[in-house]
Amino acid sequence: MSSVLLAEDEFLIRAVLVDALGDVGVECIEAATGREALDVIESDRPLGAIIVDIGLPDMSGEKVIEAAARHRPGVPIIRCSGASAPSGLSAGIKTHSFPKPYSASELSNFVVSLIRKDP
């Protein structure tokens, strides 16, 4: 199964999600900041999905999503936010919204459903 980029600044949330994703066989590449996430997005590492918290400390998660859409077309992007405000993303960028709070098992099962390879 593919690796997933997890851009989440809150250590405890990130740790719980890494464990939950690992439990379902998904390797997680962790990023605590937008810059760390961009470094992974701009690298050659294969990614099956990208999970982005909108409230990153150094830049808007939406900027990370915009970069992901440019550099990783076709890779599913999951936008996590506790805010009910509409997204400020450019038109045409498709994301899967996952509202906070969520359970780690719900998110990990959703990720698996996105990256599962059917024979």
Side-chain angles (χ1 to χ4, degrees):
M1 195 160 292
S2 302
S3 296
V4 170
L5 170 61
L6 172 61
E8 168 62 63
D9 63 318
E10 293 188 41
F11 173 78
L12 291 176
I13 293 173
R14 201 170 61 246
V16 168
L17 289 175
V18 167
D19 285 346
L21 288 162
D23 288 347
V24 294
V26 176
E27 177 195 0
C28 229
I29 302 165
E30 298 177 56
T33 66
R35 181 69 254 166
E36 289 175 7
L38 290 178
D39 288 345
V40 175
I41 289 166
E42 295 168 357
S43 76
D44 292 333
R45 290 193 76 168
L47 295 174
I50 300 169
I51 304 167
V52 181
D53 175 34
I54 294 305
L56 297 171
D58 59 337
M59 69 180 67
S60 164
E62 290 175 343
K63 287 185 180 182
V64 174
I65 291 171
E66 298 263 352
R70 277 193 313 277
H71 292 284
R72 301 290 185 135
V75 175
I77 302 169
I78 302 167
R79 178 186 183 275
C80 298
S81 175
S84 59
S87 169
L89 294 173
S90 297
I93 294 180
K94 182 180 184 235
T95 64
H96 303 273
S97 290
F98 220 85
K100 286 184 173 182
Y102 50 77
S103 79
S105 63
E106 287 174 333
L107 182 58
S108 60
N109 289 332
F110 183 71
V111 169
V112 168
S113 75
L114 287 177
I115 64 176
R116 180 181 302 132
K117 305 271 189 223
D118 292 330

